[in-house]
Amino acid sequence: MAHAELDRLQACLNLALDTLRKEIDSSQLPPLSQQSSVAHPLDDPTTYLPSTGLFDARRLSLACLGELKSLIQSPLDKIMEERFTVYGVACTDTLIKTGIIDYLSDVPNPSQGVPAAELASKFELDSQKIVPILRCCAASGWVRETRDSSFALNRCARTFIEGNAGRRLNFSMPGFMSMIEAIPHWVAESDWKLSRSPDQTAFQIAFKTPLVAFSWIMENPDVLVPIAEHLQVFGDISTPSIVADYPWEQLQTPVIVDCGGGEGGLVSSILDAHPSFRAIVQDMENVVALTSSIMEDRRPREVENGVLKVESHDLFQPQPRIGNEYSFILRHIMHDWPDKEATTILGHVARALGPKSKILIIDMVAVPNVDSTATSVQSLMHDSRAKGPDYRIPSHFGSASRIVSGSSVHMMSLINGCERSLREWEKLVKGCGLRITNVYPLRAHTSIIECALDTRALL
């Protein structure tokens, strides 16, 4: 009896894992182990950029695992598992909030595990509540049960330790679950179900506010700082690849303007690698004071000699930096907004361009999975020498693309934004008098969409 799909996925996974192993060895990285008491370089993409082969092999491995799970798992089990996913989020949040994560990381023999009774006593908790929570986290791979009711951190959970990237990324503002619960009503039943306005979303329903999400956040300082830290890490994940994978030496403008550039981390990394550029960080007035202080502390010489500037600018106002001297970065800006508002933002920048200027839109590119056999392993692994059957997986990488699809639903629910497909990007860009000159996939979930003035439209 032929098991074509199962055999194809198994062979594809074997190929991906063999490549992953070879790439780890050629990169001189230590073997992967969940029981390691130290983080692996691959655990933090903000500080380590894997080789292209390693990035592709890991993504393909995860895609194959997801397709195998979809193939063999009972649909009823899948339903229950998805319903229970929210509890996994609550359980990891509980381990962080109680201090259990930090405690487990500091014990003298972390691999031996700590009894739940000790944790309950230490933090004045009920062990009968702590054990199910820890076992839920164990099912997600964050911890392991070393013996009955004793638990140790797995390697990946070290990202949650105080000061690490995962701790800052792992933020859900109060009311977040209510927004998720409001989605079916908003989409199917509410008076706003056909609205694409940023102030008529699941966010307004859940939070009982007329304010656009960003305005609400600004008026609630208790969530402003953790959200800012979350967004900082979200951006930092792609920074090493942005610096390495875009051909900055081909840029013909001497000044890079980072629109909505936050604390200036991206332009700092670009200047480190390409000191011939000058840079300007633009953001809202309430942000630039902090950014200026950070830049004066970290890069005082460049601030003093004018290589690096910080200035306030509202994205919905005309861009003041005009002409052939400037190219512009819009990182994680456009997905925040519906098409109408996104067109306004991009249009202001487009009208400031000179013939040599570029706009670098750094955002996710959603891949429609029109044909589940659209993408071959040979093309995914960038290896024309690949031999054997043409194993195929979904063009959007299946479960390996859940961050992109999840982010799209999140931005839609929050502000009627979305992650756009290449076709949608082309339509948006063309409507602003621009054309896409290139798309650079990154070793991250994002891509660089390079745009320039569409001089053909002027002919």
Side-chain angles (χ1 to χ4, degrees):
M1 183 180 296
H3 298 277
E5 263 190 87
L6 187 60
D7 293 344
R8 187 168 62 242
L9 284 170
Q10 182 179 0
C12 183
L13 178 59
N14 288 339
L15 172 65
L17 290 177
D18 287 344
T19 306
L20 181 71
R21 188 180 294 108
K22 291 176 183 177
E23 289 289 334
I24 288 174
D25 290 343
S26 64
S27 299
Q28 298 184 320
L29 295 173
L32 292 166
S33 171
Q34 273 286 58
Q35 297 189 19
S36 173
S37 59
V38 296
H40 193 279
L42 287 174
D43 293 342
D44 190 352
T46 69
T47 58
Y48 181 81
L49 181 65
S51 68
T52 300
L54 180 49
F55 176 84
D56 289 341
R58 180 163 62 172
R59 179 172 59 174
L60 181 58
S61 298
L62 294 171
C64 291
L65 289 170
E67 291 303 297
L68 279 167
K69 185 176 180 181
S70 294
L71 181 65
I72 66 179
Q73 186 179 31
S74 155
L76 299 183
D77 282 353
K78 187 179 182 69
I79 291 169
M80 290 191 293
E81 186 178 274
E82 287 192 347
R83 293 288 172 177
F84 290 150
T85 298
V86 293
Y87 291 106
V89 175
C91 288
T92 52
D93 285 350
T94 300
L95 296 193
I96 293 171
K97 185 174 182 179
T98 57
I100 289 175
I101 286 280
D102 294 321
Y103 185 79
L104 290 176
S105 72
D106 284 338
V107 293
N109 296 302
S111 62
Q112 292 184 3
V114 176
E118 178 181 332
L119 296 172
S121 175
K122 169 69 178 177
F123 296 102
E124 299 181 354
L125 303 170
D126 181 357
S127 62
Q128 289 192 1
K129 296 183 180 72
I130 291 301
V131 170
I133 287 172
L134 284 161
R135 284 179 176 157
C136 183
C137 291
S140 298
W142 296 117
V143 301
R144 63 185 183 277
E145 196 163 1
T146 55
R147 55 188 184 277
D148 189 0
S149 299
S150 290
F151 298 87
L153 284 190
N154 277 337
R155 187 201 81 239
C156 60
R158 303 192 72 80
T159 191
F160 289 132
I161 295 171
E162 180 68 41
N164 289 351
R167 183 70 158 254
R168 290 174 284 135
L169 186 67
N170 188 70
F171 172 73
S172 297
M173 61 185 176
F176 178 69
M177 294 295 185
S178 298
M179 185 177 74
I180 294 174
E181 292 171 359
I183 292 174
H185 168 71
W186 172 55
V187 170
E189 301 171 351
S190 76
D191 293 339
W192 298 342
K193 67 180 184 179
L194 299 179
S195 172
R196 295 184 180 178
S197 171
D199 60 0
Q200 295 180 340
T201 73
F203 176 85
Q204 280 79 32
I205 294 172
F207 285 80
K208 298 179 174 58
T209 177
L211 297 175
V212 171
F214 297 133
S215 298
W216 182 90
I217 290 168
M218 295 304 299
E219 292 193 1
N220 288 269
D222 55 323
V223 300
L224 178 58
V225 171
I227 286 178
E229 291 182 346
H230 165 89
L231 294 175
Q232 182 71 37
V233 176
F234 183 67
D236 288 347
I237 288 171
S238 62
T239 294
S241 184
I242 292 169
V243 175
D245 294 336
Y246 180 75
W248 296 98
E249 66 282 356
Q250 296 180 18
L251 209 58
Q252 295 180 302
T253 56
V255 183
I256 298 170
V257 182
D258 190 358
C259 307
E263 296 180 4
L266 177 55
V267 294
S268 288
S269 296
I270 294 170
L271 289 176
D272 285 341
H274 303 278
S276 61
F277 285 116
R278 303 196 304 276
I280 299 170
V281 181
Q282 294 181 338
D283 215 307
M284 298 295 288
E285 190 172 353
N286 60 340
V287 176
V288 296
L290 174 61
T291 305
S292 295
S293 176
I294 292 172
M295 292 297 98
E296 288 168 3
D297 180 56
R298 296 178 183 174
R299 312 185 76 92
R301 182 175 300 177
E302 287 148 316
V303 171
E304 184 178 348
N305 62 24
V307 169
L308 177 60
K309 297 179 180 179
V310 179
E311 62 185 25
S312 62
H313 174 61
D314 184 341
L315 292 168
F316 288 96
Q317 298 300 318
Q319 172 57 240
R321 299 290 177 171
I322 300 171
N324 235 11
E325 190 177 0
Y326 303 102
S327 285
F328 301 87
I329 293 173
L330 291 164
R331 178 166 71 165
H332 299 156
I333 300 295
M334 306 303 289
H335 79 159
D336 287 347
W337 299 100
D339 285 350
K340 179 183 177 182
E341 287 75 11
T343 299
T344 299
I345 292 170
L346 188 58
H348 282 313
V349 182
R351 285 186 285 277
L353 297 187
K356 295 181 180 180
S357 301
K358 292 288 196 299
I359 299 175
L360 307 181
I361 300 173
I362 305 173
D363 250 318
M364 298 179 184
V365 177
V367 179
N369 189 29
V370 177
D371 180 358
S372 64
T373 62
T375 311
S376 69
V377 167
Q378 279 88 338
S379 64
L380 296 175
M381 301 299 288
H382 304 289
D383 187 359
S384 59
R385 300 168 298 174
K387 305 296 183 182
D390 189 15
Y391 314 121
R392 295 171 184 265
I393 64 161
S395 53
H396 67 346
F397 289 96
S399 63
S401 70
R402 291 185 70 175
I403 290 176
V404 178
S405 58
S407 177
S408 192
V409 175
H410 177 62
M411 298 315 301
M412 177 188 74
S413 307
L414 195 67
I415 202 163
N416 256 322
C418 67
E419 306 298 348
R420 295 174 171 87
S421 67
L422 185 56
R423 178 183 61 81
E424 291 167 329
W425 280 118
E426 288 171 342
K427 180 180 178 181
L428 181 65
V429 165
K430 184 178 180 180
C432 295
L434 303 167
R435 63 186 177 93
I436 295 177
T437 52
N438 216 327
V439 178
Y440 296 89
L442 300 177
R443 283 169 273 179
H445 295 287
T446 49
S447 297
I448 298 178
I449 305 163
E450 182 190 75
C451 305
L453 285 172
D454 188 359
T455 53
R456 299 169 301 182
L458 303 176
L459 299 177

